[in-house]
Structures are given as C-alpha cells and as structure tokens.
Amino acid sequence: MKSCCAYSVGVLSILILIAGIAMVLAQVFQTLLYNRIKSEVVLENGTEAFAVWQDPPPPVYMQFYFFNLTNPEEVLSGERPAVIELGPYTYREYRPMKGVNFMDNDTRVAAVNPKTYIFEPNMSRGSEDDIIRTVNIPAMAVMEKYRDSILGHLISDLMKSTNEGLFGTWKVGELLWGYEDPLLKDLHAFNHSLDPNFGLFYKMNGTDDGEYVFYTGKQNYQDFARVDLWRGQSSLDWWTTDQCNMINGTNGASFHPIITKTEKLYMFSSDLCRSIYATFESELSVRGVPAYRFVPPSKVFANTTVNPDNAGFCVGGRCLSSGLLNVSGCKQGAPIIMSSPHFYQADEKFVDDIFGMRPVKEEHETAIDINPLTGLVVQAAKRLQVNVFIEKLTAFSQTGNVRTLVYPVMYLNESVLIDEDSAKTLQGVVTQANVVINIPFIIIGLGILIGVVFIVLICRQERSTPDERQPLLSS
Ligand SMILES: *[C@@H]1O[C@H](CO)[C@@H](O)[C@H](O)[C@H]1NC(C)=O
Ligand SMILES: *[C@@H]1O[C@H](CO)[C@@H](O)[C@H](O)[C@H]1NC(C)=O
Ligand SMILES: *[C@@H]1O[C@H](CO)[C@@H](O)[C@H](O)[C@H]1NC(C)=O
Ligand SMILES: *[C@@H]1O[C@H](CO)[C@@H](O)[C@H](O)[C@H]1NC(C)=O
Ligand SMILES: *[C@@H]1O[C@H](CO)[C@@H](O)[C@H](O)[C@H]1NC(C)=O
Ligand SMILES: *[C@@H]1O[C@H](CO)[C@@H](O)[C@H](O)[C@H]1NC(C)=O
Ligand SMILES: *[C@@H]1O[C@H](CO)[C@@H](O)[C@H](O)[C@H]1NC(C)=O
Ligand SMILES: *[C@@H]1O[C@H](CO)[C@@H](O)[C@H](O)[C@H]1NC(C)=O
C-alpha cells in the first residue's frame, strides 16, 4: 500500500520533468509571449505602439556645440586653426506624426513628420545671440563653384565690396536658423532661383520633409514602422538612382520587437543623406530597463580601401579618408563634410590639423539603447559634426595662404531618454515576460522536488521493512 503510493509519486515526478523539459525544448511559453508582443507592436489605432509612434512621450533634445575660431589671421597665413568649443545651445524637439492615413487594409500608413525646435535656456550655456567666429559657408560654397570660371574674379571683387572674407562672425541663431548673406543676395539679382538666405537649419523649423509611407508591421512584425516610400519613391530605387537617399530607413528610431545581438539595425539620417547601420556593442540597464547598446561600427565611415561599400561617396574620383562623408551633393553643392564630433574614429590627421579637437568615445559616439524584447528605444544619442572643406583658391585672394583643411563648424547631439513613467511600465512588462519564460523551469523544479520526496519515501520504506518483518518471524 505504502510502496504503491511512493511509486505514484515517482511516476508523477518523471511525468512533470518530461513535461517541463518538453516545454523548454518546444519553447511553448516563449512562442506564446513573442506572438503576444508581435501582435501588440503594430501601428494600429488604439495600440500603445501607435500612440508612442504618433507622439513620442519622452522629450527629445537637440543640442548644438559651436567652435569659435581664435586665430583667423594666422589661419589665412597657413597656420593651424585653434578653436574653442561653445555650448550646448539646447532645443526641445517636437516631432509628432501628422496627416496619419492608414492604407491597404492597415498594412501601411502614410504620414508627415514635421519637427519643431524650442530653445531651452535652462539647459543651455549661452544664448542664441552669442557671437561665433567661423568659416563663411556661403562664400566658400560660391568660391568652390566659380573656382575655374571666368566669373571668379568678378565674384572676388563683389566680395571685397561687401567686405566678406573666408571667416566672419555670426550669431548662433543666425547660423542655425538663417540670415541674409550679402554675397548670395547679390547673386540672387542674377539668378532668382538662388535663395539669398543661408542657415544650417534654415527653413527646417516646423516644416516636414515630405510624405513617408511606413509598414505597420501587421503582415510581418520585423517591418514595424519601417519606411516603404519617401516622397512617393521606393527606398530601393533611391539607393540605385540617388545617393542622397535612404535604404531600409526607420525615420526617427523605432525598431521591431525581439531584437537579437547579431542584428544590423538600419537608421535613416537625413543629415547624412543616407541610412547607416548599427551593431550590438554591450548590454546595459537604462532607468532599470534592460537594454542592448547598438553603435555604428567604424566600418560605416571607413574609406573605400577598408569598406568598398562606401564607394558611392567617392565623388568625381575623389575619395575622402576614413571617418568623413562628403554630403556636398545633398547640400546644393556647398562643400559640407560630415564626421563624428571632434573627428572621433576619423583619420588621426584631421584631429591634428585643428588645435582644440579631443575625441572621446563616450561623449562623441552615436549610440542607441534598445529594449530587445519590445524594440523600444530607451536611450539614444545621434552625434554629428558639420565641417567645411577649405582650400586655397588662386582666383580668390580671400582664401589667402590657407591650408587644405576639413574645418569644424559645429556638432550636434540629438538625444532622448525614456521618461520615468514609461520606464516603470516597461520594467513591469519585462518582469512579467521573465516569469512567463521561466514557467517551464519552475515546472522542472517542481518535478525535481517531487523526485526528492519519492527518494525520501523509498529510503524510509527500505529502512522500515526489516522492522515490519521481525514480529512475523518471532511469532
Ligand atoms: C483613431 O480612432 C479615434 C477614435 O476611435 C479617431 O478619432 C481617430 O481619427 C483615429 N485615428 C486614425 C489615424 O484613424
Ligand atoms: C483587403 O482585404 C480584402 C478582404 O480580406 C481583400 O479582398 C483585398 O484584396 C485586400 N486589399 C489589399 C489592398 O490588400
Ligand atoms: C520654431 O517654431 C515655433 C512655432 O512656430 C516657435 O515657437 C519657435 O520659437 C521656433 N524656433 C526657432 C528656433 O525659431
Ligand atoms: C567668439 O569669438 C569672438 C571673436 O574672438 C568673440 O567676439 C566672441 O565673444 C566669442 N564668443 C563667445 C560666446 O565667447
Ligand atoms: C532592406 O530590406 C530588404 C527586406 O527586408 C532586404 O532584402 C534588403 O537586403 C535590405 N537592404 C539592405 C541594404 O540592407
Ligand atoms: C584607408 O584607411 C586605411 C586605414 O586607416 C589606410 O591604411 C589606407 O591608406 C586608406 N586608404 C585611402 C585611399 O585613404
Ligand atoms: C565632394 O563632392 C563634390 C560633388 O558632389 C565634389 O565636387 C567635391 O570635390 C567633393 N569634395 C571633396 C573634398 O572630395
Ligand atoms: C550630448 O552629447 C554631449 C557631448 O557630445 C554631452 O556633453 C551632452 O551631455 C549630451 N546630452 C545629453 C542630453 O545626453
């Protein structure tokens, strides 16, 4: 009777163990959980993911740092520029999706994404009226354009009459949001299509950059919020026809759920006129939420010897060295070159060329931290430097004896950090998920526990059996 009971316990233990192990092997609970998440991370009126995509709750900040030139005369006579970093000049960035329109049975959604920038004095060091001495970008662009033209000397005289040189001073607000340039104004009289205003973010406040069509992720969760069309063109066509375009972009940064460490994440950056990718770097915790950090590998900016994929960025047979991207073609021919701030990860020579460059990984890299389970961005910092290609042009006395330089004007840090409330919600989701995924292991633990009970029962029986026999023998 007792041994029968003990053996039932043993059988139960083995059944539970088998069930537990089967669940681990079949990944039943994981599949259930993943399916649940995949069905929730969809751009659909009513889902949390849609609300976040439409109007991201955590504040996005755009911070600008300018380089103030201290020795313009010496630079014109061929010496190294010495610059002092100023800033941050911080703006809160609002980027809601507007004109949201679902199409094709809700598998795609069209929208525009205007960005508005509001100055944040409390998060800034200095004001928009601070004076910055830097390179005269419109003048350098015009001089490059007419370097070999018979009009060169005429334009040089025009610049002398308005007292414009290679360097000048402007307010932070002017450099960012636009000012009327005397040279451009003069040229505008001959060519009305030329805008007399110039600014690094001119006309970019409150305006959108055209209509996007996104996948909702309803058909395939990996397509969640992925850009299908921009301005009516397919992303794949742009890549082949126009280097100023994106491939597999996700405007802003929302990624599909269930991200693995081996994945390449594509991000579109209109400043770079292309999409770049990031690869897994490390695991970390952001406000208590587990995250994977993805960073663009140095290969992304490598020269063509190291990464032949970057051949698209050699223009007219001229390739730039590692760490630099010539985006002149996307900036109306202005000789603009992008890099990481302080030429982080670029060729050593660019750092050496400018007195005041101190690249630091933690401060100057672009990084994006994603909660791998939900694909939500918990922290991100996009960091880019705007440089101007400067060289001596014989037709223009304004360029003096200047060295050939990649001259840094400013860099930006566009960053976001998950808000406390969203972090708490996400912590809850992650905890629940961990419990669900561990159910099979809890079952296996239970099986082992019952197995131990079985062994104890058997041992006690073995010991008690002789005692039971003794009375039988004595009688
Ligand atoms: C979402 O639903 C709400 C009410 O149900 C409606 O007012 C809103 O227009 C819908 N949004 C879209 C983009 O369809
Ligand atoms: C939308 O769904 C309906 C019925 O399920 C189908 O007949 C139609 O072809 C679908 N349309 C598109 C554009 O997928
Ligand atoms: C951008 O536009 C908004 C609203 O039109 C305005 O409040 C804000 O001051 C503008 N920002 C800049 C930098 O001009
Ligand atoms: C930048 O340099 C110029 C010229 O030396 C100077 O007038 C200006 O005050 C400096 N800007 C700041 C914010 O220190
Ligand atoms: C873009 O995505 C498509 C489909 O997801 C894929 O086939 C293609 O290789 C991707 N392109 C790049 C450049 O990664
Ligand atoms: C590309 O970079 C590598 C390593 O930095 C260097 O050895 C090589 O000379 C560079 N090639 C060109 C064409 O600049
Ligand atoms: C950058 O590209 C433009 C054409 O888009 C070209 O004219 C210029 O020479 C290039 N600059 C450098 C420094 O390679
Ligand atoms: C942005 O990056 C700069 C350095 O590149 C750093 O000083 C600043 O604190 C960063 N801003 C935020 C909000 O993380």
Side-chain angles (χ1 to χ4, degrees):
M1 180 59 202
K2 269 190 179 168
S3 69
C4 167
C5 180
Y7 285 120
S8 325
V9 171
V11 170
L12 183 66
S13 147
I14 286 169
L15 284 179
I16 290 177
L17 274 176
I18 289 174
I21 290 168
M23 281 176 189
V24 170
L25 293 180
Q27 301 194 321
V28 185
F29 285 88
Q30 194 169 336
T31 310
L32 281 176
L33 177 78
Y34 284 5
N35 285 341
R36 170 88 193 281
I37 289 173
K38 285 174 195 172
S39 71
E40 270 174 28
V41 182
V42 170
L43 295 179
E44 206 167 61
N45 202 350
T47 64
E48 180 83 19
F50 175 71
V52 169
W53 172 84
Q54 197 178 25
D55 204 357
V60 179
Y61 292 104
M62 180 69 108
Q63 297 180 296
F64 299 100
Y65 297 80
F66 280 87
F67 293 108
N68 207 10
L69 180 64
T70 60
N71 59 344
E73 302 305 326
E74 286 87 342
V75 176
L76 283 174
S77 63
E79 286 183 32
R80 282 200 309 165
V83 297
I84 293 173
E85 183 184 305
L86 296 174
Y89 301 93
T90 305
Y91 293 82
R92 171 89 190 261
E93 186 181 317
Y94 295 88
R95 46 195 307 171
M97 291 292 177
K98 291 279 168 77
V100 176
N101 182 19
F102 286 97
M103 349 192 283
D104 307 341
N105 292 343
D106 296 346
T107 59
R108 297 193 303 161
V109 58
V112 293
N113 191 211
K115 294 181 188 169
T116 302
Y117 301 88
I118 309 284
F119 189 64
E120 288 276 349
N122 296 336
M123 288 177 69
S124 303
R125 201 183 295 148
S127 82
E128 287 179 296
D129 292 331
D130 280 4
I131 302 288
I132 306 291
R133 183 191 278 141
T134 187
V135 63
N136 189 342
I137 303 175
M140 195 63 224
V142 170
M143 290 191 289
E144 272 290 344
K145 188 169 175 201
Y146 293 99
R147 56 186 292 169
D148 299 322
S149 156
I150 44 163
L151 291 173
H153 289 285
L154 198 76
I155 288 169
S156 182
D157 291 344
L158 210 57
M159 283 175 70
K160 275 177 203 147
S161 73
T162 55
N163 224 347
E164 280 201 87
L166 184 57
F167 299 105
T169 55
W170 294 270
K171 289 178 182 169
V172 166
E174 291 176 333
L175 285 171
L176 288 175
W177 310 109
Y179 59 94
E180 193 181 72
D181 179 76
L183 178 60
L184 293 180
K185 197 182 164 200
D186 286 342
L187 295 176
H188 174 79
F190 301 104
N191 175 1
H192 285 291
S193 69
L194 192 73
D195 196 316
N197 297 292
F198 169 81
L200 293 167
F201 276 67
Y202 176 55
K203 281 188 175 167
M204 277 163 79
N205 186 26
T207 47
D208 64 72
D209 53 358
E211 191 186 63
Y212 289 85
V213 175
F214 301 88
Y215 289 106
T216 57
K218 200 174 172 183
Q219 264 176 335
N220 179 358
Y221 79 98
Q222 287 191 321
D223 284 339
F224 170 73
R226 188 161 76 81
V227 173
D228 176 33
L229 304 175
W230 181 47
R231 295 176 178 170
Q233 277 186 291
S234 145
S235 46
L236 291 175
D237 292 348
W238 304 324
W239 184 238
T240 48
T241 60
D242 175 3
Q243 56 165 284
C244 296
N245 276 311
M246 72 172 100
I247 38 162
N248 294 1
T250 54
N251 184 39
S254 42
F255 298 102
H256 64 77
I258 311 156
I259 281 176
T260 62
K261 291 182 186 175
T262 53
E263 233 162 314
K264 273 188 187 177
L265 298 179
Y266 282 87
M267 301 175 269
F268 174 63
S269 168
S270 55
D271 320 287
L272 291 180
C273 312
R274 68 183 291 198
S275 77
I276 56 172
Y277 66 88
T279 52
F280 174 80
E281 189 195 59
S282 55
E283 280 183 50
L284 73 168
S285 164
V286 178
R287 286 202 159 149
V289 179
Y292 287 175
R293 169 157 292 182
F294 281 76
V295 300
S298 55
K299 205 181 146 202
V300 167
F301 290 116
N303 69 22
T304 43
T305 324
V306 179
N307 184 4
D309 287 352
N310 286 346
F313 298 93
C314 296
V315 187
R318 288 171 87 178
C319 304
L320 288 167
S321 309
S322 286
L324 305 181
L325 281 180
N326 181 356
V327 295
S328 166
C330 332
K331 310 278 179 196
Q332 290 85 46
I336 306 269
I337 288 171
M338 305 300 260
S339 69
S340 292
H342 288 248
F343 298 110
Y344 167 70
Q345 276 189 334
D347 212 315
E348 195 76 12
K349 76 171 183 230
F350 301 107
V351 179
D352 295 341
D353 271 352
I354 314 286
F355 187 82
M357 294 291 106
R358 273 176 297 271
V360 180
K361 175 179 163 64
E362 291 69 34
E363 282 183 46
H364 300 138
E365 77 176 351
T366 287
I368 183 155
D369 301 337
I370 302 168
N371 174 248
L373 186 69
T374 56
L376 290 177
V377 175
V378 290
Q379 178 171 264
K382 183 173 89 180
R383 291 164 173 148
L384 281 176
Q385 181 165 294
V386 176
N387 310 283
V388 174
F389 184 76
I390 296 180
E391 61 186 334
K392 179 179 172 173
L393 300 170
T394 43
F396 293 92
S397 57
Q398 285 83 358
T399 58
N401 263 324
V402 73
R403 300 180 179 196
T404 300
L405 286 171
V406 175
Y407 179 83
V409 176
M410 66 93 167
Y411 72 90
L412 59 85
N413 176 11
E414 190 178 22
S415 62
V416 65
L417 173 63
I418 190 169
D419 53 300
E420 292 279 4
D421 287 348
S422 307
K424 286 226 173 65
T425 314
L426 208 48
Q427 278 172 19
V429 171
V430 171
T431 311
Q432 277 177 27
N434 282 339
V435 170
V436 170
I437 285 186
N438 284 316
I439 286 177
F441 296 100
I442 296 169
I443 291 174
I444 291 176
L446 191 69
I448 291 172
L449 198 71
I450 295 174
V452 170
V453 170
F454 165 68
I455 290 165
V456 168
L457 283 178
I458 290 293
C459 289
R460 283 178 63 183
Q461 212 168 9
E462 289 285 297
R463 240 189 290 132
S464 64
T465 315
D467 298 342
E468 277 172 11
R469 274 182 201 145
Q470 263 170 354
L472 273 173
L473 284 171
S474 64
S475 70

